[in-house]
Amino acid sequence: MTEFLADVSPDIPWHVTAFHQDYKMTSPADTRPEDLLRAAAIGRESGLRYIYAGNLSGQVKGLEDTHCHQCGALLIQRHGYSIEKYNLTPQGGCPSCHAPVPGRWSEKFDGQIASSPFLPRKQAQLVKILSRP
């Protein structure tokens, strides 16, 4: 699959996401960080430039972040759904080597839409689920 994606374009973002057991889905076992790192290595070997690992925040060695494909500079640092650092030129390029980064970018980063993501397992003020009598 990664070779096919890289043949279409090496700039297609590839997201590998960890499975975790929840409710009645008790099989297979939870995805380990090592499994996501191995999947990311397969994607890199195939030529993909933008590989992201999710659902195991802080356990995937920078695979939540966006790095420049040319010089490796950290462009966007994330922890889970939160953006911690944003370092792109207004044109959407790397400030270190000026390589363009594919995507749609704003002229400046105005912060996230929300200070924290919506997490359905926790009580949220945005959504109230009512049971029917």
Side-chain angles (χ1 to χ4, degrees):
M1 179 174 64
T2 57
E3 290 174 6
F4 170 78
L5 291 174
D7 283 345
V8 173
S9 172
D11 294 327
I12 294 174
W14 189 47
H15 297 260
V16 290
T17 305
F19 169 82
H20 61 88
Q21 298 175 349
D22 198 10
Y23 188 54
K24 291 185 179 183
M25 293 186 68
T26 58
S27 170
D30 290 351
T31 305
R32 301 171 304 152
E34 301 82 36
D35 298 329
L36 293 182
L37 296 172
R38 190 177 79 232
I42 291 168
R44 272 192 301 278
E45 289 169 9
S46 297
L48 293 173
R49 296 176 176 168
Y50 300 98
I51 301 167
Y52 301 95
N55 243 7
L56 293 177
S57 294
Q59 301 178 56
V60 288
K61 300 182 182 179
L63 288 172
E64 296 175 275
D65 306 327
T66 299
H67 295 268
C68 176
H69 71 274
Q70 192 163 298
C71 73
L74 177 64
L75 302 175
I76 302 172
Q77 182 178 357
R78 299 177 186 86
H79 185 80
Y81 294 103
S82 299
I83 295 173
E84 296 180 338
K85 291 182 185 174
Y86 184 90
N87 192 25
L88 284 169
T89 67
Q91 298 77 31
C94 174
S96 298
C97 71
H98 307 289
V101 178
R104 296 184 64 179
W105 308 104
S106 177
E107 293 211 9
K108 65 179 183 149
F109 180 63
D110 290 325
Q112 298 178 181
I113 294 171
S115 60
S116 61
F118 172 71
L119 300 172
R121 287 189 207 115
K122 296 185 179 181
Q123 199 171 27
Q125 296 177 357
L126 299 175
V127 176
K128 189 172 190 178
I129 300 172
L130 303 172
S131 60
R132 294 183 179 178

